[in-house]
Amino acid sequence: MRFLSRRLVMPSDLNYANALFGGRALEWIDEEAAIYAICQLETNCLVTKHIGEISFESPATQGDIVEFGLATKKVGRTSITVTCLVRNKATKKTICFADDIVFVRVDPITRMPVEHGKTMEGLLLQTEQEMRALNME
């Protein structure tokens, strides 16, 4: 799992208990997972079809930096399934885990599903090449 993005928990992100509001965490997860899927499939014509199990493990509070780890779980003909782990940057404690987030590529005009032409093997190679280009290996 690659941790690709971070956010600072601000006062407007808090619930009545002064912890990160679950709805805000889900909003961030959907956005981060969508960006990840867009980069993987090299198209921004994606829609969120499904978010599976969501588990909240520990709170985040004002001033915490949270980071988002994302990984490709499955590649379908028109879809990609990713998983997202949100953790506290400093303590590495899991804040939230969202599994089976499914995005479907759609035609920009008809909004009907269309094939994306990617495979799991191809995406692994693409990631390896990107990391090599960034000297991250």
Side-chain angles (χ1 to χ4, degrees), residues 54-112:
I54 300 162
S55 176
F56 291 93
E57 304 294 328
S58 65
T61 58
Q62 182 177 332
D64 285 349
I65 296 172
V66 298
E67 58 184 358
F68 299 82
L70 295 138
T72 302
K73 192 169 180 183
K74 180 181 169 190
V75 179
R77 191 175 50 80
T78 63
S79 67
I80 185 170
T81 304
V82 302
T83 188
C84 179
L85 175 70
V86 183
R87 70 182 184 186
N88 183 301
K89 172 73 174 130
T91 67
K92 303 297 188 233
K93 277 183 147 181
T94 296
I95 295 165
C96 180
F97 180 73
D99 202 14
D100 294 329
I101 308 168
V102 180
F103 295 94
V104 175
R105 181 176 183 199
V106 295
D107 181 275
I109 297 167
T110 67
R111 307 302 283 172
M112 297 300 294

Side-chain angles (χ1 to χ4, degrees), residues 1-2 36 39-42 70-75 80-81 117-133 137:
M1 182 167 291
R2 293 170 42 206
Y36 176 80
C39 292
Q40 291 291 287
L41 299 182
E42 300 176 309
L70 295 138
T72 302
K73 192 169 180 183
K74 180 181 169 190
V75 179
I80 185 170
T81 304
K118 301 284 185 169
T119 63
M120 181 66 94
E121 296 77 21
L123 292 179
L124 291 172
L125 181 60
Q126 176 181 310
T127 299
E128 184 180 304
Q129 291 170 342
E130 287 172 0
M131 290 180 69
R132 192 172 297 125
E137 280 195 341

